[in-house]
Amino acid sequence: MSDSINKPTTPNADLLSTPEKLDRVANLIAEGEFPFPTGLSPDQQVLLATEVRKRRHQRLVKFIARSIARELWQKIEQHNQKGKDYD
């Protein structure tokens, strides 16, 4: 990766000047709390878009996993309840 990716070239480019800032901005964008900044270099745009995509993908996978777990738990509960009805 080029060192020029994280060097500010415009006012918004400072948003990505450190790995911590990149992480924070990517999280905020992925959560829908911050708009994708304009005025970034093409390398910065790709870097930020990739980080946002990763976070959105992670959120989607967690959502699906929780939905499946909730459904399985409900089926187990229903099965256990039916077993108690016969006691």
Side-chain angles (χ1 to χ4, degrees):
M1 206 179 305
S2 170
D3 288 340
S4 65
I5 291 176
N6 290 330
K7 290 185 181 174
T9 56
T10 66
N12 279 339
D14 185 51
L15 293 172
L16 312 180
S17 61
T18 66
E20 294 80 17
K21 287 182 178 183
L22 171 62
D23 187 55
R24 177 155 170 72
V25 170
N27 283 331
L28 290 171
I29 294 169
E31 294 289 330
E33 297 178 20
F34 192 79
F36 200 93
T38 59
L40 301 176
S41 72
D43 286 343
Q44 291 170 325
Q45 290 175 8
V46 169
L47 177 63
L48 183 56
T50 300
E51 293 301 315
V52 170
R53 183 197 56 77
K54 287 179 189 177
R55 284 156 181 79
R56 287 183 176 169
H57 180 263
Q58 291 169 349
R59 287 179 54 210
L60 179 59
V61 168
K62 285 180 184 179
F63 175 79
I64 292 169
R66 287 181 184 140
S67 296
I68 291 169
R70 186 178 314 110
E71 185 176 326
L72 290 173
W73 182 253
Q74 289 170 347
K75 288 184 182 207
I76 290 170
E77 291 281 312
Q78 290 172 356
H79 178 74
N80 290 343
Q81 188 62 36
K82 287 179 184 178
K84 290 180 183 177
D85 292 342
Y86 294 115
D87 289 343

